[in-house]
Amino acid sequence: RNTYFLSLLHVAMEDLELVIMKFVFLLVAVVTTGSRVAAAPCTGKDLTRVDDEDGELVVEATVDLIQRVFPPDNDFLRRLAYVESRDGTIKCDTSDRSALSVTSARSDDQTDNCGGIWRVCAKQLRMTQEDESLMNHRAGILSNLKIDWLDVTMSDLQAPFYSGLAARLIIAKLEPVPQSDEIEMQGEYWNKTYCASKVLGAECSSSCSNINKDDFTDLVNELLDQEIKDCFIRGLELYFVLDASGSIGEENFERVRNFTSEIAGSFEIGPQGTQVGVIIYSQTAAFVFDLDDNSNRDDLLFNISQIPYISGGTATGDALYLLATEAFTPERGVRNSSFGLPHVGIVLTDGKSNRGIAVDVAAPLVHAQDIQTIVVGVGDNINHMELLVIADYDNSSVYDVDSFQTQQLNNLQKIIALSSCKAVDILRAGEVVEAISVEEHVNSFFEVNIASEGITVFLDVTEGANVLYYSYYIKRPSEAYHDGCL
């Protein structure tokens, strides 16, 4: 990687400037507070490597950092932290620190079960260091994070980052985790695979000894409900892309339509909130209505209920081409860049494209426009590879809905709402983002692509006070992890 240089040019109450030199990309979080006091510039902070730190922000930063070297795990690592220790807020007995001061995890007398937020015990740590199937993962940790995993001790696991890495290595050893919206199946996985696997034993019970699969499900739903409660969505530019072809079938399309209403209706609809448009396709693709055609929730839900089933062929690529080239344009009602609103596309399909533009040609056009794409597989005979292509091979953005069961739809609704809430908007050179919400403790996330000559970011505070966090490594910098702030 290149060496990155930072230079702070000017700090004042009304006008803050930041110059980033020789950097490929930057992500900025603006955290609004209620007081009218200028924030002082700060250096970087990383609470993920500090012993005994806890809380939601610490866990989320830890998971984001770990995902730099591990593939997505369908939110299991994040949920595991809450199930094991409520993000570290439930403390285990560490009064006898002598048990944690050993130099390695290899001695058989290590039975301590207090391996940080993820409650990784000595036997589990030893497995992650000795198992040959994890050799490549250990090499990746050494190469990318400069951590020799063979030297890690139980004492190290008191820092969230090391505890999370150990848990992620355990997950890598096991069979794949069920998808994020299958919370009940993740509960089964927790009970039958994570807890009952050979890496656990009598001296390494973790919370598996007092939490069953139903408890896991209840705790994950509790976590999702709290995250949604804490999540403020300034608004989105949101398109649904609906497969109305013959392979979907009329009965499934009725479920698709109802699902679209449920998701769209969960947002605050209107010119100052979320705008929703719909593209439908079968033999060809067409716009049903544009982003600015519905100014309130009632009108939107009525118009969704009137979307007809078409049948015929499946031109998924044509629909993706419209999403990439026409959907998010002023002619289709998109608000200008000064609103700083993420662009999101939710594609519902069985992945059986058979005409028109090839999906592997059209999908990259969508990704190039920085459209956050969520793909929902419909039916019981889904082409998963095509769904992955649409999602830019991000398995965490692909969901299967084979039977449209109420509980699965409710789970998926929560996950899509959270995904949209945490969406990152692209901030380009020369653009001005206005009217960022001034409500207390509201976050706005932006990604800034930096040219080789650098860029200046201006933060003009007109009401209250803002803290601007920036990071080179994670998409959502926060008080728990950032490389600097203004």
Side-chain angles (χ1 to χ4, degrees):
R1 301 176 66 91
N2 293 329
T3 301
Y4 310 133
F5 302 91
L6 302 180
S7 176
L8 182 63
L9 296 184
H10 177 69
V11 179
M13 177 78 77
E14 300 292 333
D15 192 7
L16 300 176
E17 300 181 23
L18 173 67
V19 170
I20 312 296
M21 302 300 294
K22 291 187 177 181
F23 190 58
V24 178
F25 104 160
L26 169 72
L27 291 131
V28 182
V30 179
V31 182
T32 306
T33 61
S35 61
R36 188 69 173 88
V37 179
C42 69
T43 56
K45 178 187 288 186
D46 182 3
L47 296 183
T48 72
R49 305 218 186 193
V50 179
D51 286 1
D52 301 322
E53 286 292 341
D54 58 45
E56 175 185 357
L57 294 180
V58 170
V59 169
E60 289 185 348
T62 299
V63 172
D64 282 351
L65 288 167
I66 289 173
Q67 286 181 342
R68 292 176 55 212
V69 292
F70 283 89
D73 56 28
N74 294 329
D75 298 320
F76 190 72
L77 184 66
R78 170 67 189 93
R79 294 168 179 179
L80 195 58
Y82 192 80
V83 170
E84 289 281 9
S85 67
R86 310 306 181 271
D87 292 345
T89 59
I90 297 178
K91 305 296 183 181
C92 56
D93 183 10
T94 58
S95 58
D96 182 10
R97 285 288 180 162
S98 61
L100 303 176
S101 61
V102 293
T103 57
S104 77
R106 297 178 181 276
S107 59
D108 292 334
D109 61 350
Q110 290 188 55
T111 59
D112 184 80
N113 189 38
C114 195
I117 289 175
W118 278 266
R119 296 294 196 265
V120 177
C121 70
K123 183 176 180 180
Q124 290 175 298
L125 176 58
R126 186 164 62 249
M127 183 279 296
T128 66
Q129 294 173 323
E130 297 177 349
D131 194 288
E132 292 186 1
S133 69
L134 298 177
M135 185 180 301
N136 288 338
H137 290 294
R138 291 191 294 266
I141 291 172
L142 179 61
S143 174
N144 293 285
L145 303 175
K146 310 305 178 187
I147 296 173
D148 187 340
W149 194 250
L150 299 182
D151 293 335
V152 172
T153 70
M154 285 299 297
S155 180
D156 294 323
L157 300 194
Q158 303 315 299
F161 187 61
Y162 284 87
S163 180
L165 272 176
R168 187 62 184 87
L169 282 165
I170 295 167
I171 295 169
K173 167 67 177 173
L174 306 176
E175 62 188 57
V177 180
Q179 64 188 47
S180 299
D181 61 314
E182 296 175 335
I183 298 175
E184 293 76 15
M185 291 186 65
Q186 284 198 358
E188 290 275 359
Y189 176 90
W190 151 265
N191 182 254
K192 295 183 178 180
T193 303
Y194 190 85
C195 289
S197 69
K198 294 180 180 179
V199 302
L200 298 175
E203 81 278 21
C204 188
S205 61
S206 184
S207 61
C208 299
S209 60
N210 52 35
I211 293 178
N212 59 36
K213 61 181 182 180
D214 294 328
D215 296 327
F216 179 95
T217 300
D218 290 343
L219 286 168
V220 170
N221 279 312
E222 178 180 287
L223 171 64
L224 291 176
D225 289 341
Q226 186 60 47
E227 288 181 327
I228 291 173
K229 179 181 177 182
D230 294 341
C231 182
F232 178 86
I233 303 177
R234 292 182 297 120
L236 301 170
E237 305 287 23
L238 172 62
Y239 261 96
F240 288 89
V241 180
L242 308 183
D243 185 344
S245 65
S247 59
I248 289 290
E250 189 168 3
E251 183 177 353
N252 264 342
F253 186 76
E254 175 65 22
R255 293 167 174 162
V256 165
R257 193 163 43 209
N258 292 338
F259 173 79
T260 301
S261 293
E262 289 291 330
I263 299 298
S266 67
F267 296 104
E268 186 70 31
I269 301 300
Q272 302 304 315
T274 293
Q275 296 191 146
V276 175
V278 171
I279 296 171
I280 193 172
Y281 69 95
S282 58
Q283 297 279 117
T284 58
F287 289 91
V288 178
F289 50 80
D290 298 334
L291 291 168
D292 59 351
D293 282 345
N294 299 283
S295 60
N296 59 72
R297 183 177 182 273
D298 289 343
D299 287 349
L300 172 64
L301 297 185
F302 174 79
N303 285 327
I304 291 175
S305 72
Q306 301 303 301
I307 298 174
Y309 174 64
I310 303 172
S311 189
T314 310
T316 308
D318 290 1
L320 294 175
Y321 184 80
L322 289 182
L323 183 68
T325 61
E326 292 188 38
F328 298 101
T329 61
E331 293 76 18
R332 296 290 179 184
V334 74
R335 289 160 287 190
N336 63 46
S337 60
S338 68
F339 281 80
L341 301 176
H343 295 176
V344 179
I346 300 178
V347 182
L348 291 95
T349 180
D350 60 4
K352 295 182 178 179
S353 179
N354 57 20
R355 66 192 60 229
I357 302 172
V359 168
D360 58 3
V361 172
L365 300 178
V366 175
H367 310 147
Q369 295 301 312
D370 299 310
I371 299 168
Q372 179 182 342
T373 309
I374 299 169
V375 188
V376 180
V378 178
D380 56 6
N381 192 18
I382 298 168
N383 182 342
H384 291 275
M385 181 52 65
E386 185 167 296
L387 268 57
L388 280 172
V389 172
I390 297 171
D392 199 17
Y393 298 96
D394 179 3
N395 191 58
S396 65
S397 295
V398 177
Y399 306 94
D400 293 350
V401 182
D402 52 4
S403 59
F404 286 88
Q405 294 177 357
T406 300
Q407 187 57 57
Q408 187 180 20
L409 292 180
N410 289 342
N411 295 342
L412 188 53
Q413 181 179 348
K414 292 179 183 179
I415 291 166
I416 289 177
L418 278 174
S419 178
S420 300
C421 171
K422 296 179 180 180
V424 178
D425 188 33
I426 305 298
L427 183 61
R428 296 176 175 83
E431 289 185 343
V432 178
V433 177
E434 300 174 348
I436 294 177
S437 174
V438 294
E439 295 191 25
E440 189 170 3
H441 304 305
V442 169
N443 293 341
S444 301
F445 299 105
F446 300 94
E447 176 181 326
V448 183
N449 295 301
I450 308 301
S452 58
E453 63 272 17
I455 193 170
T456 302
V457 178
F458 298 88
L459 176 62
D460 183 18
V461 183
T462 58
E463 183 176 350
N466 291 272
V467 180
L468 184 149
Y469 295 113
Y470 58 91
S471 172
Y472 311 124
Y473 302 111
I474 66 174
K475 288 187 174 183
R476 299 169 189 89
S478 67
E479 182 181 352
Y481 183 96
H482 54 265
D483 293 297
C485 71
L486 297 179

